[in-house]
Amino acid sequence: MPEFYELQINGSAHDVHDAWLGESLLYVLRERLGFTGTKSACEEGECGSCSVLVDDVLVCACLALAGSATGKTVTTVEGLAATGTPSDVQQAFVTAGAVQCGFCTPGLIVAAHALLTESPEATGQEIREALSGNVCRCTGYGRILEAVAAAARARLAAGAGSIDDRGET
Amino acid sequence: MIVTDTRTGRRPGTLGDSAVRPDGVAKVQGTFSFSSDEQIDGCVFGATLRSPHPSARIVSIDVSGAWKVSGVEAVLTAEDVPGNATYGLVVADQPVFAADVVRYVGEPVAVVAADHPETCQRALAAIRVDYEVLEPLLDPEVAIRGEHPDIHPDGNILRHQRIVHGDPDATGDVMVEGTYELGMQDQAFLGLEAALAIPEPGGGGIELHIATQWLHEDRRQIAACLGLPEPKVRLVLGGVGGAFGAREDISLQVHTCLLALRIGRPVRIQYSRRESFVGHVHRHPARIWMRHHATTTGQIVKIEARFVFDGGAYASTSSPVLLNGITHTQGPYRCPNAVVDGWAVRTNNLPCGAMRGFGVVQACFAHESQMDRLAEACGLGAVEIRLRNAMRTGDTLITGQVVESVAPVARCITEADALPLPEEPVGGRDGDPMRLPGGAGRTSDAEHVHRGIGWGVSIKNLMYSEGFDDFATARCRLSGGVVTLKFATAEVGQGFVVIAGQIARSVLGVDEVRLDTVDTDIGSSGSTSASRQTWMSGGAVDAACRKVRERLFDHVAAQHGLDPLRLAIDGTDVIDTMGTLRLAVEDAVMGREFDETVEFRHRPTEDLDENGQGNCHTAFAFAAHRAVVDVDAELGLVKVIQIATAQDVGRALNPLSVLGQIEGGIAQGLGLAVMEEIVRNAGYVRNASFTDYLLPTSLDMPEVVVSLVEEPDPQAPLGAKGVGEPPCISSTPAIVAAIRDALRHAGIERRLDRVPVRPSDIAL
Amino acid sequence: MAVVIPIDLDAAMRAASAAPDALILAGGTDVMVEVNAGQRRRALDSDTVIALDRVRELRRWSHDPERRTVTLGAGVTYTELMTEPLASLLPALAEASRTVGSPQIRNAGTIGGNLATCSPAGDTLPVLAALDADVHLASLNGERTLPVGQFMLGVKTTALTRGELIVGVTAPVLRGAQGYAKVGVRNAMVIAIASACVIVDEDCRDVRIALGSVAPTIIRCPDAERHAAANLDWDRGRATPGVAAEIGERAAADARPIDDHRSTAAYRSRAVALLVGRLVRRGFPDA
């Protein structure tokens, strides 16, 4: 039985030692590896606050067993943009007033990034449906939807494909 | 350099600007620290053992099994509480740990501390509590009739209050009545309860990092239970992931501190979502009978009402919640006569307390449903009946209090009415199921759908009532070109941190504003609730900044031999309004530091007499909501298409923030209207999870169109009224009224006197 | 602790045989909820988890145009079911997947997991039942195939034996209208209060009707199906509203719904009658 396992988080390898078998990826990210940007609000996959990308696919970290995430790449909110510089999506949230308490925000940022990577031309209803796995209790979603739509428009205006997820050309 | 908004002439970041929040970047990057993110070396986890029964006698507690679990460091029960055994916001009737009886499912019985959350859970599972199950008191009417023994030494009646106003025997030619019910709504903030307690080395004191609404009130209760003087208990606000009233009462604070003091190491407790559902107070379920008397032309003559609020096992804030409910019986309308009987009772249901709206949500659902009934009985439209009775400044409430606040009720109604109706045709476009009730569930086709329009208009008191000494404290320091503000105001997401800076920039002409740590090292700012912080903490920050400005002007005046009254702030400069002197504020400060702390109060309020008469409230805000819904009548499924609202905000200090509060409040109103309820059976909770306690998602929220009614209120320090609560108050009855209207178009009459409205309520 | 991550079926079966009490994990959307709630302690204390999400054979699907069948590996996700060309081959499964309503869940949840959990509210299950899908199981003792109606036995009860894994399902590609409809109180992430799948086989001129959330497991409605086959206007592809409603009523008569915290038996009966009637009408518009 291995005494530790290795996870790839935001491009770096992290060893996890002496973990309990039943720990979710969410628990290990937050409690063992210091990635507290990903939030725990329900532990059932019903709110999306723990959204991360695993092999570039949007999933809930609370529903992933940490020990089975070895050999995959995990991207958290902390890994979406160059340190210190908000991505275009992150900045759009701030500008649009889409952040109140902020607890749902990291999950939404990850979901929005995933959406715009996959569907750069997403609009209105499509954005709503893509964010339907992220619950927000403060904003009523209006400013959030506006933020994502604004980020999508800006990317298209600048030329789809010439901006990567980090907001850098 | 001054950059002014050429459209408004407003300097960015000053009052009236949609300034962005200073914590926004940290929040989008995931670096903002919520209380659940706080860790410290040497910290252990704590967890709570809770009662599985709504009512039981504790025969014995055997904790020995917990101690056998490897990694356990502490196990505490009621006998380990050194100070007050009970706490409470109004009455200290709630035990830190149940000792001889448990009074609700989820009541804390013990806590453990251990090296891992899983260890904590195994330790809790090993504690043996022997319960003698008792017959629970679950029906408030049984409590009122005195047919159940007292479930608490303070008795089963939390408050009984009558209101008799005008002529109690008056009648009207037209009479309509109904009995309205509201289920138990949960605040369901996303940021689960979390606290970190750090004991003072050497003992005798503690520092608690806590997400809460009112640091000082928490401290008062915590210190009393710990048996420590308040200065030895320091509270620091941890990042708050939403509150909506649920953090006003103590939940894990005392437990976390007790564990930390016992083992001499820092302790963290975090609730799971399941636990959170029983770990905090909820909105009072209510049953409200109302009878409106009116003239044949629809003028209200008298209202009779009976309110019953189920307060659950402990008092919490049931008394002021009831007060709010019954004093808002008439709604935003003129009502010359009233007889109201109000009860808040104790049962073995979950304790209830503050939730956004605080008793007025319940009253509003009742009075707005009644207004529609009245309209129908008088042959008037929904808008017309409301305009006919609309309150104006100077009218009297049924408590006899004159409404001195600006009261633009008619304007709110007409402006909401003027907002465009949705372009979306009934049944959506192109057969896209997402535009129909049922959404991706593909339950409905356009032919099954009828559209309805409904109205709700509300009045809501701002700040606290009944003589409460309501105040806020703020400190302003000006040094160089930088203002530092300190306050204990809890930012829970509502955006006080933004407007605090805007106030300072407007008053003092600086650009850079820093916010000091929010903790108990400064005086109280009261609770973030009751739509009060903009008025109160905003008022305190404004007053402290003005005092600093006064000192600055005194200083500049002395330097230049001028009368300080000639000086003013223009942009980022101090100027002589009657001369040529102009210097940048940071130059005017010239190496000095100005430092002022102010306590801000609103004018005093009174108790009610035995007839419920008295000036018990401070100020009021109003809002009108119009809902458009599509309903599949056969299946009972609802899609809210649009909410239009005009809200009396006094002055929009930050329009983007105001919009956020309105949209967010409407979401909560929508939730109560059609999907949110803590389902209980014999005192047990059936749906303590997000799987079955349903919050609106992005696919459930409609288009929201807003008109801000800005008539600055001369009472308000900045002209601005609180905006947080009205959006969740009249949106609920508007949606239900729209459902009734849609059903009428389908040829179906349904009273829909209960919220949340379930598909079976519509379909069967 | 051991997390076994096999990459082929053989290794997976050997692991399942060696640790029959192990926690078996695919997408985690059901199992991890239980783990997080502290409900799988015994399995975790056996100290082995078998993660199936990298088993090659389970991630694949294939279309046999001659037999006109699609075989889905147990690890195919809801998202994959919604993507072309699968979505056009099995449109009702795509519709059912969309109702799951959270991209995060759809990306992780699998058809095999939906079958293994066997909740009466499982979204793909009424579709598999209406399609008369076959479930392929395998263990070190060999392989077997069961009709889905014999695999799903009751509330969260399947015919799976210890050491056995779900490998995949095979479903027919049928010519004709297919639809899945589900009632929930909100528009995303909601457990079905009642659900129905109606699948028309134009070549055989029959209609398959399956209901969810109205019995301990998914049920077919033979009486309603016979009535539909006999009374729909197959030549013109039409039906009167009366015929459609009658089919719905007969289907609802087979339901045995209960009252619970989500809804009532009376409502559920009414709802499935309406859903079936409407699904039939979509396939067979007004005569």
Side-chain angles (χ1 to χ4, degrees), chain B residues 79-370:
Chain B
E79 63 193 27
D80 299 303
V81 180
N84 285 9
T86 58
Y87 62 86
L89 275 170
V90 178
V91 180
D93 71 336
Q94 186 156 7
V96 175
F97 296 111
D100 48 346
V101 292
V102 287
R103 296 187 176 92
Y104 69 97
V105 169
E107 179 159 13
V109 176
V111 288
V112 300
D115 57 359
H116 191 289
E118 178 64 15
T119 313
C120 286
Q121 292 304 312
R122 293 183 194 233
L124 293 180
I127 296 176
R128 297 254 169 289
V129 184
D130 191 9
Y131 292 104
E132 180 199 326
V133 176
L134 303 170
E135 187 63 36
L137 169 59
L138 299 171
D139 182 348
E141 296 294 343
V142 169
I144 292 171
R145 290 195 299 265
E147 288 170 2
H148 192 104
D150 284 348
I151 62 173
H152 188 285
D154 293 353
N156 294 341
I157 306 300
L158 295 173
R159 184 170 185 176
H160 177 218
Q161 178 71 52
R162 275 174 66 77
I163 297 177
V164 180
H165 179 71
D167 175 6
D169 298 319
T171 57
D173 292 324
V174 177
M175 254 176 26
V176 294
E177 69 180 278
T179 303
Y180 304 94
E181 252 189 60
L182 296 99
M184 183 187 282
Q185 189 177 21
D186 191 77
Q187 300 84 342
F189 47 61
L190 287 197
L192 290 164
E193 288 89 339
L196 168 64
I198 306 167
E200 213 175 89
I206 191 127
E207 180 174 285
L208 180 68
H209 294 240
I210 176 72
T212 186
Q213 292 174 227
W214 192 352
L215 288 171
H216 290 70
E217 177 55 29
D218 278 10
R219 182 176 72 167
R220 181 187 71 79
Q221 296 177 65
I222 295 165
C225 293
L226 297 182
L228 291 175
E230 285 187 37
K232 296 302 280 179
V233 179
R234 178 167 183 256
L235 261 56
V236 180
L237 188 72
V240 186
F244 317 115
R247 299 192 206 265
E248 206 163 61
D249 293 73
I250 294 286
S251 58
L252 43 49
Q253 290 88 326
V254 180
H255 297 158
T256 317
C257 288
L258 282 174
L259 286 171
L261 286 169
R262 170 60 61 99
I263 65 177
R265 291 172 62 186
V267 173
R268 293 161 66 197
I269 294 185
Q270 291 185 32
Y271 285 359
S272 68
R273 178 57 59 182
R274 178 163 293 275
E275 186 171 22
S276 181
F277 272 106
V278 297
H280 60 251
V281 297
H282 312 278
R283 191 188 294 292
H284 288 72
R287 210 148 189 272
I288 302 168
W289 168 82
M290 274 194 190
R291 180 154 62 199
H292 278 55
H293 299 250
T295 65
T296 51
T297 53
Q299 240 103 20
I300 296 171
V301 171
K302 181 173 96 171
I303 304 177
E304 298 167 88
R306 182 173 180 273
F307 284 67
V308 178
F309 281 13
D310 183 348
Y314 296 104
S316 177
T317 45
S318 288
S319 172
V321 169
L322 178 72
L323 174 90
N324 269 15
I326 58 175
T327 56
H328 286 66
T329 299
Q330 82 274 321
Y333 309 112
R334 283 187 301 281
C335 175
N337 309 290
V339 179
V340 181
D341 208 23
W343 298 88
V345 300
R346 190 191 306 270
T347 66
N348 290 117
N349 286 312
L350 301 179
C352 291
M355 181 172 175
R356 191 176 188 173
F358 208 82
V360 181
V361 165
Q362 294 91 328
C364 188
F365 177 61
H367 67 64
E368 288 309 276
S369 299
Q370 282 289 97

Side-chain angles (χ1 to χ4, degrees), chain C residues 14-134:
Chain C
R14 274 183 277 117
S17 174
D21 289 323
L23 197 72
I24 301 197
L25 197 57
T29 57
D30 286 324
V31 170
M32 284 305 291
V33 174
E34 294 177 2
V35 168
N36 292 338
Q39 286 165 19
R40 290 294 198 110
R41 284 217 175 92
R42 207 171 306 142
L44 291 165
D45 284 349
S46 80
D47 227 26
T48 305
V49 169
I50 303 172
L52 297 178
D53 60 298
R54 272 168 270 200
V55 176
R56 273 194 293 266
E57 294 91 327
L58 302 185
R59 318 258 344 251
R60 296 197 282 240
W61 65 271
S62 62
H63 173 214
D64 186 337
E66 274 186 30
R67 291 221 176 92
R68 298 179 62 219
T69 59
V70 170
T71 297
L72 303 166
V76 170
T77 66
Y78 293 111
T79 297
E80 286 163 344
L81 289 172
M82 284 171 66
T83 314
E84 295 296 351
L86 255 185
S88 288
L89 290 168
L90 299 170
L93 264 186
E95 279 188 2
S97 299
R98 193 181 187 188
T99 70
V100 168
S102 150
Q104 290 89 333
I105 302 293
R106 289 197 296 259
N107 286 339
T110 63
I111 191 155
N114 212 213
L115 273 167
T117 296
C118 201
S119 159
D123 288 310
T124 65
L125 305 183
V127 180
L128 294 177
L131 286 170
D132 279 323
D134 284 326

Side-chain angles (χ1 to χ4, degrees), chain A residues 1-2 5 19-25 43-48 51 57-72 107 111 118 129-135, chain C residues 1-3 5 23 25 27-30 32-33 35-37 41 43-49 51 53-54 79 82 98 101-108 186-191:
Chain A
M1 300 225 194
Y5 57 89
W20 175 59
L21 181 57
E23 290 173 9
S24 66
L25 178 60
E43 294 191 286
E44 290 195 331
E46 293 278 347
C47 75
S51 298
V57 174
L58 181 72
V59 294
C60 288
C62 71
L63 299 181
L65 190 73
S68 80
T70 57
K72 300 188 173 180
E118 172 150 343
E129 203 171 345
L131 301 184
S132 62
N134 291 79
V135 170
Chain C
M1 57 162 259
V3 180
I5 310 181
L23 197 72
L25 197 57
T29 57
D30 286 324
M32 284 305 291
V33 174
V35 168
N36 292 338
R41 284 217 175 92
L44 291 165
D45 284 349
S46 80
D47 227 26
T48 305
V49 169
D53 60 298
R54 272 168 270 200
T79 297
M82 284 171 66
R98 193 181 187 188
S102 150
Q104 290 89 333
I105 302 293
R106 289 197 296 259
N107 286 339
R186 72 176 175 187
N187 285 322
M189 298 194 287
V190 69
I191 303 225

Side-chain angles (χ1 to χ4, degrees), chain A residues 6-18:
Chain A
E6 183 190 279
L7 294 179
Q8 283 284 331
I9 315 289
N10 299 333
S12 303
H14 295 266
D15 287 344
V16 179
H17 293 270
D18 302 320

